[in-house]
Amino acid sequence: MTAIKENSTIQENKKQLLDQCPVMYVMERISGFWKPIILFNLSTGEKRYSELKRAIPKVTEKMLIQHLKQLENDGLIVRTAKPVVPPYVTYKLSDAGMRLSPVIDAMADWAYDDMGQNRQ
């Protein structure tokens, strides 16, 4: 994998867009195929890793772990690990994630509506 040249014009333009464009800001946080699906599944409440894996069977373990870490780093979910054996880890939406939940729900509503119209 090649390193990103931090002082490139593209990176500077991207940083400027992130600072100025609210849609770009949101997309930077929820981009990736699985992140919106993870957020959608967590909108119904706290879940363990295995529950998320069952709810999203097509996601690989690597991608699920990677996206959970990114969502946690972006402050959209909270990971709680209880010090027991075996480990008991749960994930839930943070306050920021809960504020994003209506956006994800609106995307789902639009999809249900659009899928219904395209089947006619």
Side-chain angles (χ1 to χ4, degrees):
M1 185 171 175
T2 59
I4 296 174
K5 187 176 174 184
E6 292 299 327
N7 62 351
S8 71
T9 304
I10 293 172
Q11 291 304 314
E12 190 59 37
N13 290 344
K14 185 176 178 182
K15 183 184 179 315
Q16 190 174 17
L17 270 175
L18 284 172
D19 293 341
Q20 296 174 357
C21 179
V23 174
M24 182 80 165
Y25 180 84
V26 171
M27 293 308 296
E28 181 71 17
R29 298 224 162 12
I30 66 167
S31 65
F33 188 81
W34 301 108
K35 285 182 186 178
I37 299 167
I38 293 167
L39 292 170
F40 182 73
N41 277 279
L42 289 175
S43 68
T44 58
E46 183 176 84
K47 296 206 176 17
R48 294 188 69 183
Y49 176 87
S50 59
E51 292 174 300
L52 286 170
K53 184 69 177 108
R54 269 194 306 276
I56 315 168
K58 299 282 186 184
V59 67
T60 64
E61 286 192 32
K62 177 185 174 188
M63 291 308 294
L64 183 55
I65 291 167
Q66 181 179 328
H67 285 306
L68 286 169
K69 285 180 182 178
Q70 290 171 356
L71 289 166
E72 182 183 14
N73 288 339
D74 284 340
L76 296 176
I77 65 171
V78 175
R79 178 185 186 270
T80 304
K82 295 180 182 170
V84 294
V85 176
Y88 190 90
V89 179
T90 58
Y91 297 91
K92 67 178 183 177
L93 294 178
S94 67
D95 290 341
M98 285 188 272
R99 289 193 316 272
L100 186 59
S101 194
V103 175
I104 302 294
D105 290 342
M107 290 169 54
D109 291 343
W110 178 86
Y112 289 133
D113 184 54
D114 195 60
M115 289 186 298
Q117 289 182 15
N118 287 332
R119 290 184 184 159
Q120 297 172 359

